[in-house]
Amino acid sequence: MIAFDFIEHLSKSDGYQLLYWLDLMADVSILFTPNSFVWQPPSKNNVYNAHLSGWTPKELSKLGWSNQKGMVGFKWFIGPYAASKEFPTF
């Protein structure tokens, strides 16, 4: 089963339930989510687009998700909806 950019849109308790059911129903699961909490409000057209929880590799390891791969990038440069942040010009 694959949960791609999904779990961060759930509350923490609902996210734990998702992980439980993924473990129960599938031999292999792939979970793709930002590293820790990344703030994102609801979008104008989709109230469900808000980020409600964050997940860290350490936390997922404690839950048995041991084979983790990270994405490379500049986390400080990315804002809500994966848009680049605007920086002041000097």
Side-chain angles (χ1 to χ4, degrees):
M1 298 193 122
I2 298 175
F4 188 78
D5 283 336
F6 177 69
I7 196 169
E8 67 271 13
H9 298 276
L10 301 175
S11 68
K12 203 68 164 181
S13 62
D14 287 343
Y16 284 124
Q17 287 185 12
L18 172 69
L19 294 174
Y20 170 79
W21 285 106
L22 286 174
D23 284 340
L24 188 66
M25 294 172 39
D27 292 330
V28 175
S29 297
I30 298 172
L31 179 69
F32 188 87
T33 187
N35 182 0
S36 70
F37 185 75
V38 176
W39 178 81
Q40 179 171 292
S43 62
K44 292 179 183 177
N45 299 330
N46 186 354
V47 296
Y48 301 108
N49 209 11
H51 286 184
L52 303 179
S53 63
W55 302 84
T56 64
K58 186 175 184 177
E59 179 179 15
L60 292 170
S61 290
K62 288 181 181 179
L63 296 171
W65 291 73
S66 58
N67 189 9
Q68 299 180 29
K69 305 289 184 217
M71 298 295 290
V72 180
F74 299 104
K75 184 177 177 181
W76 54 269
F77 188 69
I78 303 298
Y81 317 111
S84 61
K85 290 182 182 176
E86 293 185 27
F87 294 95
T89 56
F90 299 98

